[in-house]
Amino acid sequence: MSLFRDVTRLSPRHFRFVLFASSIFLLIGPSFLRAADDATITYRRVFKGSNPEFIEIKIGQTNSATYDIRQLSDDADPQSFDVGGAVRAKIFELAGELHNFEGADLDIHRRIADLGEKTFRYEKSGQVHETRYNYTLNRSASQLALVFEGLVQQQHDLMTLEQKLRYDRLGVNDALHQFENDLAQRTLPEPERLLPVLDRIAADSRLVEVARQLARALAERIRTSAPPENAAPQSGSPRP
């Protein structure tokens, strides 16, 4: 009752503010709490001397996703990007098969070539599990790495096409052929993410016709082979 009396003593202006603030909290409070409790899986690969030397993909179970693809000498610059629900579900399904990396020892512990240090990390509500390896024979870990590497290649192809279209129109055709090769490998989790840039290339009269035709053909291939909505992405065979 004392709280009710305190509220009724507020001026009309302050009373309206309290009502407004309360309504905002009711609207965003649950989503904020869900975001704060959202599990995140991170994949990081560090391979000095390669290109790129550093990749890091962070996927939230229900919302955020960021990528950071660069050389080690560059400053960290994570960028947000879109990842569909089916890909998120596949990532967390595979991580679940690995018990979210709790106590996971994935490396074969043999003397082999340096293939780059890979890291899987699971975080939720202050709980953190992390494991690192150079090479693994674990099928779930290999499939999970393939999904993340596919996202990396997909984002790299998208960034390259966007950059060429903006700054180097003569290089668009070569970038399209690179994307065509990657598409043929069937490891890109969501090639439909590139449809907008492919459509822009196909409609751009400033570009050579051969590039426009290739963009149309690639877009048609993606549209006709797109999986049903919410279907889980297929994982390729683990790479040696």
Side-chain angles (χ1 to χ4, degrees):
M1 292 296 295
S2 111
L3 177 61
F4 177 76
R5 287 196 301 269
D6 290 341
V7 170
T8 57
R9 290 172 184 170
L10 294 173
S11 68
R13 179 181 177 184
H14 288 162
F15 185 72
R16 286 195 299 270
F17 175 79
V18 170
L19 287 178
F20 174 76
S22 300
S23 64
I24 291 297
F25 177 79
L26 289 174
L27 286 172
I28 71 171
S31 61
F32 175 79
L33 292 174
R34 284 196 301 271
D37 197 45
D38 194 37
T40 301
I41 291 178
T42 300
Y43 173 72
R44 182 186 305 116
R45 173 166 56 81
V46 180
F47 193 0
K48 190 173 183 179
S50 64
N51 187 20
E53 293 180 315
F54 179 93
I55 62 172
E56 184 176 82
I57 303 284
K58 292 187 177 184
I59 304 293
Q61 190 166 12
T62 59
N63 50 63
S64 64
T66 63
Y67 69 90
D68 191 4
I69 305 173
R70 56 184 170 85
Q71 296 303 103
L72 288 170
S73 58
D74 297 333
D75 294 333
D77 186 26
Q79 302 288 321
S80 299
F81 74 122
D82 294 326
V83 177
V87 176
R88 292 178 191 268
K90 185 64 176 178
I91 287 171
F92 278 84
E93 174 190 340
L94 291 169
E97 294 176 6
L98 297 166
H99 307 289
N100 294 326
F101 322 125
E102 184 176 7
D105 184 5
L106 301 177
D107 199 273
I108 62 171
H109 300 291
R110 298 176 190 168
R111 292 178 62 87
I112 63 172
D114 181 9
L115 302 174
E117 183 184 69
K118 274 79 71 177
T119 301
F120 290 127
R121 181 181 177 92
Y122 176 90
E123 300 174 81
K124 182 178 181 181
S125 302
Q127 179 185 18
V128 178
H129 304 302
E130 182 176 289
T131 186
R132 302 180 182 184
Y133 69 95
N134 176 51
Y135 177 68
T136 186
L137 295 175
N138 184 289
R139 182 172 179 81
S140 295
S142 297
Q143 289 183 331
L144 183 56
L146 275 176
V147 175
F148 276 110
E149 292 285 348
L151 285 172
V152 170
Q153 189 59 56
Q154 178 179 296
Q155 196 62 29
H156 182 266
D157 287 339
L158 176 59
M159 291 188 302
T160 300
L161 284 171
E162 293 279 9
Q163 184 182 46
K164 296 296 184 182
L165 183 57
R166 185 172 182 180
Y167 300 111
D168 179 20
R169 291 196 291 271
L170 292 177
V172 168
N173 196 53
D174 288 340
L176 285 169
H177 279 295
Q178 180 58 59
F179 171 60
E180 183 180 29
N181 292 336
D182 295 334
L183 188 63
Q185 298 298 316
R186 301 180 64 83
T187 56
L188 303 182
E190 298 177 305
E192 61 272 17
R193 298 285 180 190
L194 281 82
L195 284 173
V197 68
L198 291 174
D199 289 341
R200 294 206 311 274
I201 291 171
D204 195 333
S205 60
R206 300 171 300 174
L207 300 174
V208 295
E209 184 59 27
V210 65
R212 298 174 66 189
Q213 290 179 357
L214 180 54
R216 293 188 195 101
L218 290 171
E220 180 65 19
R221 186 189 307 179
I222 293 170
R223 288 188 168 101
T224 56
S225 63
E229 187 176 0
N230 297 324
Q234 297 182 352
S235 297
S237 300
R239 294 176 180 173

